[in-house]
């Protein structure tokens, strides 16, 4: 859901154009979508004989905070240069006439609550063919219905508003948002004068797509609107929640444990392990087992049915009990192996299990998934079969608490990252010398510092430097959410539409992780197949698995969202290594890899 946050400059500039510009810059830095001015023609604002105490106070403030049309237009241009949408509120058609043809400079217009029934004003705005936001404060339902029935255009969006200054927590009446949604079946928003800016978060969660609130540098400043305004810091948090609201509100369906939860279940959960040697054909007794971490085998809710069946293989002391102890792993067909070799399908391996994986799955292509400890150890490339093709997945971590980040402001983190990078490059080079074949390195580069532009500049230079050493480093297409250190982190690089253009501009070779891409398809505004098509000239390596929703990662082919299959089919046609990335494929004697290989052959063997 795309939520527009509007910082209302209003009268908090105190009639000072420089202060107004400072507020605009602060709003831009906070990450809002747009800013808005108010304008009243001073000669047309109040009747000459207005004598109420409130009239005197308001007219004084209006005159004190007046900005001319020329000043507002100059500020509008500067706001647009900062990438902001800029709008304005008018209180009468005379106000609009003061801007004449320059009305086209504004991106949207706003009808204040008190002028909702000013049909001439509303229709004059609607005729400009720009979005018109309507505050509904001060009016009853019948009055609102009557006004809307007279509109001469459909380019309007209503904002729920309680016109008290301020609005207490007990009087926001946010239930009206649901009423608006049900009644008009169109987008709606919220104009907030709340004491507590956090009320806007509830409005977002209820579906409001436009949030308007005044901005100030000092809530205690002299002026009518400062107390019901938000500071730039509060706008930053508001914008952050608006950016993440789609992910926050996701999950309206059967629950699927995300990858981070599965990792935590594995690391923190427990499985049954053998206390002693157990012969093949023996029925295991509970007293022969211990219950320990990590959970890489059968847990409490799974073990009981298997204790009634004899084992199909010998179990050594300390070995985890998995399904493969009780069931023979389905074989991989010769057809599936031949298909894998012809399509350059690869299996991910650790240094210690390559021999066993290669014997069971002789596909001729393997990707080393390395830990930082393994990279820092001495690895002899000559011990590996020179007839195989290899790739290497760079560690995500450089130690137990820090991510790979060669450009970190932490000098030690940057140094350790660069050291691990160089040692991985040295291993890839040694494998290339040993096999006579290209050995790419895949890296999950995810940390953005000052800007996304800087991210691409730095990483393109890094990759070019290692290319000159004869080794390719391929940034991996990333998921919308990563599971670092057992938690979830929203990523901001190599995973959304803007990255497509940046990859093209910087001519970056990449690894396309189609599972990550399909999860991003559920979050960002792109079609996975279109991204693959556009970046096909830059994709030199592929990771393949199915996915469900925004965080169901590493599923077997055909068990994820149905929309994913065209994207998986697209990458299968690319002439490069394709590494199977199904979750825990190596467990149970490689049962997951066997299933994946057989399934790929069924789906794509012509």
């Amino acid at each position: 859901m795309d939520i527009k946050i509007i910082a209302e400059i209003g009268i908090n500039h105190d009639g000072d154009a420089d202060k107004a510009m400072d507020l605009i810059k602060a709003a831009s830095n906070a990450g809002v979508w747009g800013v808005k001015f108010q304008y009243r023609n001073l000669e047309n604002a109040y009747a000459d004989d207005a004598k109420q105490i409130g009239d005197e106070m308001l007219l004084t403030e209006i005159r004190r905070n007046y900005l001319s049309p020329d000043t507002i237009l100059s500020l509008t241009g500067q706001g647009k240069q900062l990438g902001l949408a800029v709008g304005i509120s008018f209180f009468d058609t005379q106000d609009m006439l003061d801007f004449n043809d320059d009305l086209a400079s504004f991106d949207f217009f706003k009808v204040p609550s008190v002028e909702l029934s000013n049909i001439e004003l509303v229709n004059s705005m609607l005729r400009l063919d720009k979005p018109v936001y309507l505050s509904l404060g001060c009016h009853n339902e019948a009055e609102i219905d009557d006004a809307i029935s007279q509109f001469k255009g459909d380019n309007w969006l209503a904002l729920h508003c309680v016109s008290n200054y301020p609005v207490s927590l007990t009087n926001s009446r946010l239930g009206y948002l649901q009423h608006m949604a049900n009644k008009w079946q169109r987008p709606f928003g919220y104009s907030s004068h709340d004491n507590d800016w956090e009320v806007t978060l509830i409005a977002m969660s209820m579906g409001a797509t436009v949030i308007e609130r005044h901005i100030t540098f000092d809530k205690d400043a002299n002026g009518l609107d400062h107390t019901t305004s938000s500071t730039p810091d509060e706008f930053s948090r508001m914008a952050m929640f608006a950016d993440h609201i789609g992910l926050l509100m996701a999950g309206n369906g059967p629950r699927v444990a995300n990858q981070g939860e599965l990792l935590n279940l594995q690391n923190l959960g427990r499985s049954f392990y053998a206390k002693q040697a157990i012969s093949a054909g023996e029925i295991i007794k509970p007293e022969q087992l211990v219950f320990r971490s990590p959970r890489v085998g059968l847990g409490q809710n799974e073990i009981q049915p298997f204790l009634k069946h004899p084992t199909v293989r010998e179990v050594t002391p300390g070995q985890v009990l998995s399904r493969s102890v009780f069931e023979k792993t389905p074989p991989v067909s010769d057809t599936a192996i031949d298909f894998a070799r012809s399509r350059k399908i690869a299996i991910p391996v650790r240094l210690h299990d390559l021999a066993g994986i290669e014997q069971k799955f002789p596909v001729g292509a393997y990707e080393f998934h390395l830990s930082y400890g393994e990279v820092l150890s001495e690895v002899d490339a000559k011990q590996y079969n020179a007839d195989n093709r290899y790739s290497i997945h760079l560690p995500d971590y450089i130690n137990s608490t820090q991510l790979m980040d060669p450009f970190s402001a932490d000098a030690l983190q940057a140094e350790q990252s660069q050291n691990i990078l160089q040692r991985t490059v040295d291993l890839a080079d040694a494998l290339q010398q040993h096999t006579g074949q290209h050995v790419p390195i895949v890296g999950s580069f995810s940390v953005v510092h000052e800007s996304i532009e800087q991210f691409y500049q730095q990483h393109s230079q890094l990759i070019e430097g290692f290319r000159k050493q004869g080794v390719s480093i391929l940034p991996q297409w990333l998921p919308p959410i990563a599971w670092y250190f057992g938690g979830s982190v929203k990523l901001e690089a190599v995973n959304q539409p803007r990255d497509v253009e940046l990859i093209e501009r910087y001519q970056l070779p990449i690894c396309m992780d189609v599972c990550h891409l399909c999860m991003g398809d559920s979050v960002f505004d792109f079609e996975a197949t279109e991204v693959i098509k556009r970046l096909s000239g830059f994709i030199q390596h592929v990771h393949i698995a199915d996915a469900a929703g925004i965080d169901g990662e590493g599923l077997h082919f055909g068990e994820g969202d149905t929309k994913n299959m065209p994207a998986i089919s697209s990458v299968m046609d690319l002439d490069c290594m394709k590494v199977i990335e199904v979750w825990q494929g190596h467990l149970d004697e490689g049962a997951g890899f066997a299933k994946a290989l057989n399934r790929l052959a069924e789906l794509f063997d012509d």
Side-chain angles (χ1 to χ4, degrees), residues 113-373:
S113 290
V114 294
E115 299 295 341
L116 178 65
S117 58
N118 186 341
I119 303 305
E120 181 185 7
L121 172 67
V122 176
N123 284 332
S124 294
M125 291 183 181
L126 290 172
R127 280 194 293 270
L128 295 172
D129 202 28
K130 299 282 183 74
V132 176
Y133 302 130
L134 311 159
S135 278
L136 305 184
C138 300
H139 289 77
N140 296 321
E141 193 76 2
E143 295 169 324
I144 294 169
D145 291 341
D146 180 62
I148 291 175
S149 71
Q150 300 177 65
F151 290 173
K152 304 297 184 182
D154 196 46
N155 48 313
W156 57 271
L157 185 148
L159 307 180
H160 170 47
C161 176
V162 176
S163 296
N164 300 142
Y165 307 90
V167 177
S168 71
L169 276 177
T170 58
N171 201 36
S172 295
R173 300 183 185 179
L174 291 187
Y176 190 70
L177 294 171
Q178 189 60 58
H179 176 77
M180 294 165 69
N182 294 337
K183 181 172 183 174
W184 291 315
Q185 299 292 306
R186 59 190 295 148
F188 58 89
Y190 183 53
S191 179
S192 167
H193 303 114
D194 299 278
N195 256 330
D196 305 279
W197 70 269
E198 293 89 348
V199 173
T200 64
L201 306 183
I202 302 173
M204 293 182 207
S205 73
M206 296 179 69
T209 60
V210 175
I211 301 291
E212 179 197 44
R213 188 168 168 85
H214 290 246
I215 185 169
T216 184
F217 289 123
D218 181 3
K219 293 185 178 185
D220 295 322
N222 181 34
L224 296 178
D225 286 346
H226 293 286
T227 58
T228 57
S229 301
S230 278
T231 64
D233 286 344
E234 291 172 348
F235 266 101
S236 291
R237 294 190 60 78
M238 207 184 305
M240 179 192 70
F241 278 98
D243 287 344
H244 292 77
I245 196 71
L247 299 177
L248 274 167
M249 302 305 294
N252 183 15
R255 196 180 193 287
V256 177
N258 67 46
Q259 191 81 358
E261 291 177 302
L262 295 177
L263 286 168
N264 286 334
L265 179 64
Q266 173 183 304
N267 295 331
L268 304 175
R270 296 190 290 174
S271 301
F272 287 96
Y273 293 78
K275 290 169 60 175
Q276 61 195 62
I278 300 171
S279 302
E282 186 175 346
I283 294 179
I284 297 177
K285 301 177 179 62
E287 56 267 26
Q288 295 175 296
L289 306 176
V290 292
F291 196 44
R292 298 286 186 269
S293 294
R295 182 171 174 169
V296 291
L298 298 171
Q300 285 276 19
N301 62 328
E302 302 161 313
I303 190 69
Q304 289 302 322
F306 291 99
L307 295 181
K308 301 174 183 179
H309 301 286
T311 62
V312 298
R313 55 176 51 87
E314 181 181 333
V315 181
T316 58
Q319 180 179 337
V320 67
L321 264 68
S322 63
R323 299 178 70 94
S324 61
V325 169
F326 302 95
E327 301 173 346
K328 291 186 177 180
T329 303
V332 180
S333 68
D334 291 340
T335 299
I337 295 296
D338 290 342
F339 170 79
R341 295 181 74 93
S342 68
R343 292 291 193 97
K344 300 180 181 178
I345 305 296
I347 302 290
V349 296
R350 299 294 301 277
L351 293 175
H352 64 271
D353 65 8
L354 172 60
I357 293 289
E358 183 180 3
Q359 182 177 14
K360 191 172 186 65
F361 306 108
V363 296
Y366 306 92
E367 179 167 281
F368 289 113
H369 283 217
L370 303 179
S371 69
Y372 60 84

Side-chain angles (χ1 to χ4, degrees), residues 295-572:
R295 182 171 174 169
V296 291
L298 298 171
Q300 285 276 19
N301 62 328
E302 302 161 313
I303 190 69
Q304 289 302 322
F306 291 99
L307 295 181
K308 301 174 183 179
H309 301 286
T311 62
V312 298
R313 55 176 51 87
E314 181 181 333
V315 181
T316 58
Q319 180 179 337
V320 67
L321 264 68
S322 63
R323 299 178 70 94
S324 61
V325 169
F326 302 95
E327 301 173 346
K328 291 186 177 180
T329 303
V332 180
S333 68
D334 291 340
T335 299
I337 295 296
D338 290 342
F339 170 79
R341 295 181 74 93
S342 68
R343 292 291 193 97
K344 300 180 181 178
I345 305 296
I347 302 290
V349 296
R350 299 294 301 277
L351 293 175
H352 64 271
D353 65 8
L354 172 60
I357 293 289
E358 183 180 3
Q359 182 177 14
K360 191 172 186 65
F361 306 108
V363 296
Y366 306 92
E367 179 167 281
F368 289 113
H369 283 217
L370 303 179
S371 69
Y372 60 84
E374 289 170 328
V375 173
L376 296 173
S377 66
E378 295 300 323
V379 181
D380 182 9
K382 293 181 180 179
Q383 66 183 295
Y384 303 115
N385 186 345
D387 294 329
N388 289 332
R389 295 170 59 92
Y390 298 101
S391 58
I392 302 174
H393 199 302
L394 196 68
D396 289 341
Y397 309 121
I398 60 168
N399 54 47
S400 60
T401 61
Q402 290 181 306
L403 288 172
M404 165 68 64
D405 182 9
F407 306 106
S408 173
D410 180 334
L412 183 58
Q413 182 181 11
E415 179 184 351
Q416 290 178 343
S417 297
Q418 291 160 8
N419 180 46
I420 287 178
L421 266 167
Q422 185 61 62
R423 289 183 67 91
T424 307
V425 166
D426 292 342
L427 175 58
D429 184 55
L431 283 168
Q432 288 179 164
Q433 299 300 322
H434 178 53
T435 63
Q437 298 190 75
H438 181 55
V439 178
I441 297 171
V442 176
S444 298
F445 300 106
S446 62
V447 183
V448 178
H449 293 291
E450 293 183 9
S451 69
I452 191 67
E453 190 75 39
Q454 182 200 59
F455 174 91
Y456 276 91
Q457 289 173 352
Q458 290 176 329
H459 285 84
S460 63
Q461 292 169 4
L462 177 82
I463 290 165
E464 176 61 18
F466 286 119
R467 187 193 66 79
K468 291 178 179 178
Q469 296 183 34
V471 174
S472 296
I473 294 183
L474 309 176
Q476 177 180 213
W477 190 272
L478 298 173
I481 301 170
W483 316 109
Y484 293 144
F485 305 106
S488 57
V489 179
K490 184 173 183 287
L491 300 185
E492 302 293 345
V494 202
N495 64 355
Q496 51 193 287
R498 68 181 181 185
D499 293 289
V500 175
E501 188 272 330
L502 287 161
I503 288 167
E504 291 174 328
R505 192 189 330 154
Y506 284 92
Q507 298 287 293
L508 278 183
I510 66 167
C511 167
M512 176 52 72
D513 189 308
V514 73
C515 176
H516 294 169
L517 181 70
C518 290
M519 290 189 292
D521 189 338
S522 299
V523 176
F524 302 113
D525 184 21
F526 65 71
E527 293 287 338
T529 52
E530 290 302 311
V531 172
I532 293 167
K533 181 179 179 181
R534 185 166 166 183
L535 293 180
S536 60
F538 301 95
I539 299 172
Q540 297 186 6
H541 197 74
V542 169
H543 286 169
I544 49 173
D546 212 335
I550 64 173
D551 56 12
E553 187 171 355
L555 303 185
H556 278 283
F557 304 106
E559 296 182 8
D561 297 331
T562 55
K563 69 178 178 61
N564 299 341
M565 198 52 66
I568 296 171
S569 178
S570 294
V571 296
M572 287 298 296

Side-chain angles (χ1 to χ4, degrees), residues 45-63:
Y46 265 81
D48 292 337
D49 61 349
K51 301 215 183 336
Q52 299 298 320
I53 293 175
D55 300 333
E56 179 182 24
M57 180 174 62
L58 288 171
L59 184 54
T60 299
E61 284 297 293
I62 289 169
R63 287 172 174 163

